[in-house]
Coordinates of all heavy atoms in Angstrom, one line a residue:
M29 N 20.2 -16.2 2.3 CA 19.1 -17.1 2.6 C 18.5 -16.7 3.9 O 19.2 -16.3 4.9 CB 19.7 -18.5 2.7 CG 18.7 -19.5 3.2 SD 19.3 -21.2 3.6 CE 20.3 -21.6 2.3
R30 N 17.2 -16.8 4.0 CA 16.5 -16.6 5.3 C 15.7 -17.8 5.7 O 15.0 -18.4 4.9 CB 15.5 -15.4 5.1 CG 14.8 -15.0 6.3 CD 13.9 -13.8 6.1 NE 13.2 -13.5 7.3 CZ 13.5 -12.4 8.0 NH1 14.5 -11.6 7.6 NH2 12.9 -12.1 9.1
I31 N 15.9 -18.2 6.9 CA 15.1 -19.3 7.5 C 14.4 -18.9 8.7 O 15.0 -18.3 9.6 CB 16.1 -20.5 7.8 CG1 16.8 -20.9 6.6 CG2 15.4 -21.6 8.5 CD1 17.9 -21.9 6.8
N32 N 13.1 -19.1 8.8 CA 12.3 -18.8 9.9 C 12.1 -20.1 10.8 O 11.8 -21.1 10.2 CB 11.0 -18.2 9.5 CG 11.1 -16.9 8.8 OD1 11.8 -16.1 9.3 ND2 10.4 -16.7 7.7
L33 N 12.2 -19.9 12.1 CA 12.1 -21.0 13.0 C 11.0 -20.7 14.0 O 11.0 -19.7 14.6 CB 13.4 -21.3 13.7 CG 13.4 -22.3 14.8 CD1 13.2 -23.7 14.2 CD2 14.7 -22.3 15.6
Y34 N 10.0 -21.5 14.0 CA 8.8 -21.3 14.9 C 8.8 -22.4 16.0 O 8.9 -23.6 15.7 CB 7.5 -21.3 14.2 CG 7.4 -20.2 13.2 CD1 7.7 -20.4 11.8 CD2 7.1 -18.9 13.6 CE1 7.6 -19.4 10.9 CE2 7.0 -17.9 12.7 CZ 7.3 -18.1 11.3 OH 7.2 -17.1 10.4
L35 N 8.7 -22.0 17.2 CA 8.7 -22.9 18.3 C 7.3 -22.8 19.0 O 6.8 -21.8 19.4 CB 9.8 -22.6 19.4 CG 11.2 -22.6 18.8 CD1 12.2 -22.1 19.9 CD2 11.6 -24.0 18.4
S36 N 6.7 -24.0 19.1 CA 5.3 -24.0 19.6 C 5.3 -24.2 21.1 O 6.0 -25.1 21.7 CB 4.6 -25.2 19.0 OG 3.3 -25.4 19.6
E37 N 4.5 -23.5 21.8 CA 4.4 -23.6 23.3 C 3.7 -25.0 23.7 O 3.7 -25.4 24.8 CB 3.6 -22.5 23.9 CG 4.4 -21.2 23.8 CD 3.6 -20.0 24.4 OE1 2.4 -20.2 24.8 OE2 4.1 -18.9 24.4
S38 N 3.0 -25.6 22.7 CA 2.3 -26.9 23.0 C 3.2 -28.1 22.8 O 2.8 -29.2 23.1 CB 1.1 -27.0 22.2 OG 1.4 -27.0 20.8
N39 N 4.4 -27.9 22.2 CA 5.4 -28.9 22.0 C 6.5 -28.9 23.0 O 7.2 -28.0 23.2 CB 6.0 -28.8 20.6 CG 6.9 -29.9 20.2 OD1 7.8 -30.2 20.9 ND2 6.7 -30.5 19.0
E40 N 6.6 -30.0 23.8 CA 7.5 -30.1 24.9 C 9.0 -29.8 24.4 O 9.7 -29.1 25.1 CB 7.5 -31.4 25.6 CG 8.4 -31.5 26.8 CD 8.3 -32.9 27.5 OE1 7.4 -33.7 27.2 OE2 9.2 -33.2 28.3
K41 N 9.4 -30.4 23.3 CA 10.7 -30.1 22.8 C 10.9 -28.7 22.4 O 12.0 -28.1 22.7 CB 11.0 -31.0 21.6 CG 11.2 -32.5 21.9 CD 11.5 -33.3 20.7 CE 11.6 -34.7 21.0 NZ 11.9 -35.5 19.8
D42 N 10.0 -28.1 21.8 CA 10.1 -26.6 21.5 C 10.2 -25.8 22.7 O 10.9 -24.8 22.7 CB 8.9 -26.2 20.6 CG 8.9 -26.8 19.2 OD1 9.8 -27.5 18.9 OD2 8.0 -26.5 18.4
V43 N 9.4 -26.1 23.7 CA 9.5 -25.3 25.0 C 10.9 -25.4 25.6 O 11.5 -24.4 26.0 CB 8.4 -25.8 26.0 CG1 8.6 -25.2 27.4 CG2 7.0 -25.5 25.5
I44 N 11.5 -26.6 25.6 CA 12.9 -26.7 26.1 C 13.8 -25.9 25.3 O 14.7 -25.2 25.8 CB 13.2 -28.2 26.1 CG1 12.4 -28.9 27.2 CG2 14.7 -28.4 26.4 CD1 12.5 -30.4 27.2
I45 N 13.7 -26.0 24.0 CA 14.6 -25.2 23.1 C 14.4 -23.7 23.3 O 15.4 -23.0 23.5 CB 14.3 -25.5 21.6 CG1 14.7 -27.0 21.3 CG2 15.0 -24.5 20.7 CD1 14.1 -27.5 19.9
A46 N 13.2 -23.2 23.5 CA 13.0 -21.8 23.7 C 13.6 -21.4 25.0 O 14.2 -20.3 25.1 CB 11.5 -21.5 23.7
K47 N 13.4 -22.2 26.1 CA 14.0 -21.8 27.4 C 15.5 -21.8 27.3 O 16.1 -20.9 27.8 CB 13.6 -22.8 28.5 CG 12.2 -22.7 28.9 CD 11.9 -23.7 30.0 CE 10.5 -23.6 30.5 NZ 10.2 -24.6 31.6
Y48 N 16.1 -22.7 26.6 CA 17.6 -22.8 26.4 C 18.1 -21.6 25.7 O 19.0 -20.9 26.1 CB 18.0 -24.1 25.8 CG 19.4 -24.2 25.5 CD1 20.3 -24.4 26.6 CD2 20.0 -24.2 24.3 CE1 21.7 -24.5 26.5 CE2 21.4 -24.3 24.1 CZ 22.2 -24.4 25.2 OH 23.5 -24.5 25.0
L49 N 17.4 -21.2 24.6 CA 17.8 -20.1 23.8 C 17.7 -18.8 24.5 O 18.5 -17.8 24.3 CB 17.1 -20.0 22.5 CG 17.5 -21.1 21.5 CD1 16.6 -21.1 20.2 CD2 18.9 -21.1 21.1
K50 N 16.7 -18.7 25.4 CA 16.6 -17.4 26.2 C 17.8 -17.2 27.1 O 18.0 -16.1 27.6 CB 15.3 -17.5 27.1 CG 14.1 -17.3 26.2 CD 12.8 -17.3 27.1 CE 11.6 -17.2 26.2 NZ 10.3 -17.3 27.0
L51 N 18.5 -18.3 27.4 CA 19.7 -18.1 28.3 C 20.9 -17.6 27.5 O 21.9 -17.2 28.1 CB 20.1 -19.5 28.8 CG 19.1 -20.2 29.7 CD1 19.6 -21.6 30.1 CD2 18.9 -19.4 31.0
K52 N 20.8 -17.5 26.2 CA 21.9 -17.1 25.4 C 21.9 -15.6 25.1 O 20.8 -15.0 25.0 CB 21.9 -17.8 24.0 CG 22.0 -19.3 24.1 CD 23.3 -19.7 24.8 CE 23.4 -21.1 25.1 NZ 24.6 -21.5 25.9
Y53 N 23.1 -15.0 25.1 CA 23.1 -13.5 24.8 C 22.5 -13.2 23.5 O 21.8 -12.2 23.3 CB 24.6 -13.1 24.9 CG 24.8 -11.6 24.6 CD1 24.4 -10.7 25.5 CD2 25.3 -11.2 23.4 CE1 24.6 -9.3 25.3 CE2 25.5 -9.8 23.1 CZ 25.1 -8.9 24.0 OH 25.3 -7.6 23.8
S54 N 22.9 -14.0 22.4 CA 22.3 -13.8 21.1 C 21.9 -15.1 20.5 O 22.8 -15.8 20.0 CB 23.4 -13.1 20.2 OG 22.9 -13.1 18.9
P55 N 20.6 -15.5 20.7 CA 20.2 -16.8 20.2 C 20.5 -17.0 18.7 O 20.9 -18.1 18.3 CB 18.7 -16.8 20.5 CG 18.5 -15.9 21.6 CD 19.6 -14.8 21.4
K56 N 20.3 -16.0 17.9 CA 20.5 -16.1 16.5 C 22.0 -16.4 16.2 O 22.3 -17.4 15.4 CB 20.2 -14.8 15.8 CG 20.5 -14.7 14.3 CD 20.4 -13.4 13.7 CE 21.4 -12.5 14.3 NZ 22.1 -11.6 13.5
D57 N 22.9 -15.7 16.8 CA 24.3 -16.0 16.6 C 24.7 -17.4 17.2 O 25.5 -18.1 16.6 CB 25.2 -14.9 17.3 CG 25.1 -13.6 16.5 OD1 24.7 -13.6 15.3 OD2 25.4 -12.6 17.1
Y58 N 24.1 -17.8 18.3 CA 24.4 -19.1 18.8 C 24.0 -20.2 17.9 O 24.7 -21.2 17.6 CB 23.7 -19.2 20.2 CG 23.9 -20.6 20.9 CD1 25.2 -20.9 21.5 CD2 23.0 -21.6 20.8 CE1 25.4 -22.1 22.1 CE2 23.2 -22.8 21.4 CZ 24.4 -23.1 22.0 OH 24.7 -24.3 22.6
I59 N 22.8 -20.1 17.3 CA 22.3 -21.1 16.4 C 23.2 -21.1 15.2 O 23.5 -22.2 14.7 CB 20.8 -20.8 16.0 CG1 19.9 -21.0 17.2 CG2 20.4 -21.6 14.8 CD1 18.5 -20.5 17.0
K60 N 23.6 -20.0 14.6 CA 24.4 -19.9 13.5 C 25.8 -20.6 13.7 O 26.3 -21.4 12.9 CB 24.6 -18.5 13.0 CG 23.4 -17.9 12.3 CD 23.5 -16.4 12.0 CE 24.6 -16.1 11.1 NZ 24.7 -14.7 10.7
E61 N 26.3 -20.4 14.9 CA 27.6 -21.0 15.3 C 27.5 -22.5 15.4 O 28.3 -23.2 14.9 CB 28.1 -20.4 16.6 CG 29.5 -20.9 17.0 CD 30.6 -20.5 16.1 OE1 30.5 -19.5 15.4 OE2 31.6 -21.3 16.1
M62 N 26.4 -23.0 16.0 CA 26.2 -24.4 16.1 C 26.1 -25.1 14.7 O 26.6 -26.1 14.5 CB 24.9 -24.7 17.0 CG 25.1 -24.5 18.4 SD 23.7 -25.0 19.4 CE 23.3 -26.6 18.9
L63 N 25.3 -24.4 13.8 CA 25.1 -25.0 12.5 C 26.5 -24.9 11.7 O 26.8 -25.9 11.0 CB 24.1 -24.2 11.7 CG 22.6 -24.4 12.2 CD1 21.7 -23.4 11.5 CD2 22.2 -25.8 12.0
Y64 N 27.2 -23.9 11.9 CA 28.5 -23.8 11.3 C 29.5 -24.9 11.7 O 30.1 -25.6 10.9 CB 29.2 -22.4 11.5 CG 30.6 -22.3 11.0 CD1 30.8 -22.2 9.6 CD2 31.7 -22.4 11.8 CE1 32.1 -22.1 9.1 CE2 33.0 -22.3 11.3 CZ 33.2 -22.2 10.0 OH 34.5 -22.1 9.5
E65 N 29.5 -25.1 13.0 CA 30.3 -26.2 13.6 C 29.9 -27.6 13.0 O 30.8 -28.4 12.7 CB 30.3 -26.2 15.1 CG 31.0 -25.0 15.7 CD 31.0 -25.0 17.2 OE1 30.4 -25.9 17.8 OE2 31.4 -24.0 17.8
A66 N 28.6 -27.8 12.9 CA 28.1 -29.1 12.4 C 28.5 -29.2 10.9 O 28.9 -30.2 10.4 CB 26.6 -29.2 12.5
A67 N 28.4 -28.1 10.2 CA 28.7 -28.1 8.7 C 30.2 -28.4 8.4 O 30.5 -29.0 7.4 CB 28.3 -26.8 8.1
I68 N 31.1 -27.9 9.3 CA 32.5 -28.2 9.0 C 33.0 -29.4 9.8 O 34.2 -29.7 9.7 CB 33.4 -26.9 9.4 CG1 33.3 -26.6 10.9 CG2 33.0 -25.7 8.6 CD1 34.3 -25.5 11.3
G69 N 32.1 -30.1 10.4 CA 32.5 -31.4 11.0 C 33.0 -31.3 12.4 O 33.6 -32.2 12.9
Q70 N 32.9 -30.1 13.0 CA 33.3 -30.0 14.4 C 32.3 -30.6 15.3 O 31.1 -30.6 14.9 CB 33.6 -28.5 14.8 CG 34.8 -28.0 14.2 CD 35.1 -26.6 14.8 OE1 34.3 -26.0 15.5 NE2 36.3 -26.0 14.4
R71 N 32.7 -31.0 16.5 CA 31.7 -31.6 17.4 C 30.9 -30.5 18.0 O 31.4 -29.5 18.6 CB 32.5 -32.3 18.5 CG 31.6 -33.0 19.5 CD 32.4 -33.8 20.5 NE 31.6 -34.3 21.5 CZ 32.0 -34.8 22.6 NH1 33.2 -34.8 22.9 NH2 31.1 -35.2 23.5
V72 N 29.6 -30.6 17.9 CA 28.6 -29.7 18.6 C 28.3 -30.3 19.9 O 27.8 -31.4 20.0 CB 27.3 -29.5 17.7 CG1 26.4 -28.6 18.4 CG2 27.7 -29.0 16.4
M73 N 28.7 -29.6 21.0 CA 28.5 -30.1 22.4 C 27.1 -30.1 22.8 O 26.4 -29.0 22.9 CB 29.3 -29.3 23.3 CG 30.8 -29.4 23.1 SD 31.3 -31.1 23.5 CE 31.6 -31.0 25.2
P74 N 26.5 -31.2 23.1 CA 25.1 -31.3 23.7 C 25.2 -30.9 25.2 O 26.2 -31.0 25.8 CB 24.7 -32.7 23.5 CG 26.0 -33.5 23.6 CD 27.1 -32.6 23.0
L75 N 24.1 -30.5 25.7 CA 24.0 -30.3 27.2 C 24.0 -31.7 27.9 O 23.4 -32.7 27.4 CB 22.7 -29.7 27.5 CG 22.5 -28.2 27.2 CD1 21.1 -27.7 27.6 CD2 23.6 -27.4 28.0
V76 N 24.8 -31.8 28.9 CA 24.8 -33.0 29.7 C 23.5 -33.2 30.5 O 23.0 -34.3 30.5 CB 26.1 -33.0 30.6 CG1 26.1 -34.2 31.5 CG2 27.3 -32.9 29.8
N77 N 23.0 -32.2 31.1 CA 21.8 -32.3 31.8 C 21.0 -31.0 31.6 O 21.2 -30.0 32.1 CB 22.1 -32.4 33.3 CG 20.9 -32.7 34.2 OD1 19.8 -32.4 33.7 ND2 21.1 -33.3 35.3
K78 N 20.0 -31.2 30.7 CA 19.2 -30.0 30.3 C 18.4 -29.4 31.5 O 18.1 -28.2 31.5 CB 18.2 -30.4 29.2 CG 17.2 -31.4 29.5 CD 16.4 -31.8 28.3 CE 15.4 -32.9 28.7 NZ 15.0 -33.7 27.6
E79 N 18.0 -30.2 32.5 CA 17.3 -29.7 33.6 C 18.1 -28.7 34.4 O 17.6 -27.7 34.9 CB 16.7 -30.8 34.5 CG 15.6 -31.6 33.9 CD 16.1 -32.6 32.9 OE1 17.3 -33.0 32.9 OE2 15.3 -33.1 32.1
I80 N 19.4 -29.0 34.6 CA 20.3 -28.1 35.3 C 20.4 -26.8 34.6 O 20.3 -25.7 35.2 CB 21.7 -28.8 35.5 CG1 21.5 -29.9 36.5 CG2 22.7 -27.7 36.0 CD1 22.8 -30.8 36.6
A81 N 20.6 -26.8 33.3 CA 20.8 -25.6 32.5 C 19.5 -24.8 32.4 O 19.6 -23.6 32.4 CB 21.3 -26.0 31.1
I82 N 18.4 -25.4 32.3 CA 17.1 -24.7 32.1 C 16.4 -24.3 33.4 O 16.0 -23.2 33.5 CB 16.2 -25.5 31.2 CG1 16.9 -25.6 29.8 CG2 14.8 -24.9 31.1 CD1 16.1 -26.6 28.9
D83 N 16.3 -25.2 34.3 CA 15.5 -25.0 35.5 C 16.3 -24.6 36.7 O 15.7 -24.4 37.8 CB 14.6 -26.2 35.8 CG 13.7 -26.5 34.6 OD1 13.2 -25.5 34.0 OD2 13.4 -27.6 34.3
A84 N 17.6 -24.5 36.6 CA 18.4 -24.2 37.8 C 18.1 -22.7 38.3 O 18.0 -21.8 37.4 CB 19.9 -24.3 37.5
P85 N 18.0 -22.5 39.6 CA 17.9 -21.2 40.0 C 19.1 -20.4 39.8 O 20.2 -20.9 39.7 CB 17.6 -21.3 41.5 CG 18.2 -22.7 41.9 CD 18.1 -23.5 40.6
E86 N 19.0 -19.0 39.7 CA 20.1 -18.2 39.5 C 21.0 -18.3 40.8 O 20.6 -18.5 41.9 CB 19.7 -16.7 39.3 CG 19.0 -16.5 38.1 CD 18.7 -15.0 37.8 OE1 19.4 -14.2 38.4 OE2 17.7 -14.8 37.1
D87 N 22.3 -18.2 40.5 CA 23.3 -18.2 41.6 C 23.1 -17.1 42.6 O 22.7 -16.0 42.2 CB 24.7 -18.1 41.1 CG 25.2 -19.3 40.2 OD1 24.6 -20.4 40.4 OD2 26.1 -19.1 39.4
E88 N 23.2 -17.4 43.9 CA 23.1 -16.4 44.9 C 24.5 -16.1 45.4 O 25.3 -17.0 45.7 CB 22.2 -16.9 46.0 CG 20.7 -17.1 45.6 CD 19.8 -17.4 46.7 OE1 20.2 -17.2 47.9 OE2 18.8 -18.0 46.5
Y89 N 24.8 -14.8 45.7 CA 26.1 -14.4 46.1 C 25.9 -13.7 47.4 O 25.0 -13.0 47.7 CB 26.8 -13.5 45.1 CG 27.0 -14.2 43.8 CD1 26.1 -14.0 42.7 CD2 28.1 -15.0 43.6 CE1 26.3 -14.7 41.5 CE2 28.3 -15.7 42.4 CZ 27.4 -15.5 41.4 OH 27.6 -16.1 40.2
E90 N 26.9 -13.9 48.3 CA 26.9 -13.1 49.6 C 27.4 -11.7 49.3 O 28.2 -11.4 48.4 CB 27.9 -13.8 50.5 CG 27.5 -15.2 51.0 CD 28.4 -15.7 52.0 OE1 29.1 -14.9 52.7 OE2 28.5 -16.9 52.1
E91 N 26.8 -10.8 50.1 CA 27.1 -9.4 49.9 C 28.6 -9.2 50.4 O 29.0 -9.7 51.3 CB 26.2 -8.5 50.8 CG 26.5 -7.0 50.6 CD 25.5 -6.2 51.4 OE1 24.4 -6.7 51.8 OE2 25.8 -5.1 51.7
I92 N 29.3 -8.4 49.6 CA 30.7 -8.1 49.9 C 30.7 -7.0 51.0 O 30.1 -6.0 50.8 CB 31.5 -7.7 48.6 CG1 31.5 -8.8 47.6 CG2 32.9 -7.3 49.0 CD1 32.1 -8.3 46.3
Q93 N 31.4 -7.3 52.0 CA 31.5 -6.3 53.2 C 32.7 -5.4 52.9 O 33.7 -5.7 52.4 CB 31.7 -7.1 54.5 CG 30.7 -8.1 54.8 CD 29.3 -7.5 55.0 OE1 29.2 -6.4 55.6 NE2 28.3 -8.1 54.4
G94 N 32.5 -4.1 53.4 CA 33.6 -3.1 53.4 C 33.8 -2.4 52.1 O 34.8 -1.8 51.8
I95 N 32.7 -2.4 51.2 CA 32.9 -1.6 50.0 C 32.0 -0.4 49.9 O 31.7 0.1 48.8 CB 32.7 -2.5 48.7 CG1 31.3 -3.1 48.7 CG2 33.8 -3.6 48.7 CD1 31.0 -3.8 47.4
D96 N 31.4 0.0 51.0 CA 30.5 1.1 51.1 C 31.3 2.4 50.5 O 32.4 2.6 50.9 CB 30.0 1.4 52.5 CG 29.1 0.3 53.0 OD1 28.5 -0.4 52.1 OD2 29.1 0.1 54.2
G97 N 30.6 3.1 49.7 CA 31.2 4.4 49.2 C 32.0 4.2 47.9 O 32.6 5.1 47.4
I98 N 32.2 2.9 47.5 CA 32.9 2.7 46.3 C 32.0 2.7 45.1 O 31.0 1.9 45.1 CB 33.7 1.4 46.3 CG1 34.7 1.4 47.5 CG2 34.4 1.1 45.0 CD1 35.4 0.1 47.7
D99 N 32.2 3.5 44.0 CA 31.4 3.5 42.9 C 31.8 2.3 42.0 O 33.0 2.2 41.6 CB 31.6 4.8 42.1 CG 31.0 6.0 42.8 OD1 30.0 5.8 43.6 OD2 31.5 7.1 42.7
L100 N 30.9 1.5 41.6 CA 31.1 0.4 40.7 C 30.7 0.7 39.3 O 29.8 1.2 39.0 CB 30.4 -0.9 41.3 CG 30.9 -1.3 42.6 CD1 30.0 -2.5 43.1 CD2 32.3 -1.7 42.7

């Protein structure tokens, strides 16, 4: 079975969904896993605060001192 999903940039809910899915390593696999969990009756975890997940800036880390010359 093939299902196509279109998200409209003019629909606020679709924009939120698109931003959220862009955070996932594999949006297709993530959607399939969520649907599978719903189908077998497992709890599908909603986001507690969508603004934090979607609009939060990336974490900033301090530079590690003393590792000059080490190949990572």
Side-chain angles (χ1 to χ4, degrees):
M29 175 190 312
R30 181 180 183 103
I31 298 174
N32 294 316
L33 175 66
Y34 296 98
L35 300 173
S36 172
E37 293 179 357
S38 63
N39 182 308
E40 183 180 347
K41 288 181 181 181
D42 288 0
V43 170
I44 291 171
I45 292 167
K47 285 181 180 180
Y48 179 68
L49 289 175
K50 285 180 182 178
L51 299 173
K52 301 300 174 188
Y53 178 74
S54 173
K56 175 189 68 140
D57 290 338
Y58 180 76
I59 291 169
K60 286 172 63 175
E61 182 65 25
M62 285 183 53
L63 291 172
Y64 174 75
E65 289 178 6
I68 64 172
Q70 287 186 353
R71 182 175 175 196
V72 178
M73 292 295 273
L75 286 176
V76 174
N77 187 337
K78 64 185 175 202
E79 288 78 18
I80 291 173
I82 294 171
D83 296 326
E86 292 186 25
D87 292 336
E88 294 185 21
Y89 298 97
E90 293 183 24
E91 183 177 341
I92 299 173
Q93 302 296 320
I95 61 168
D96 294 333
I98 298 175
D99 291 330
L100 299 176

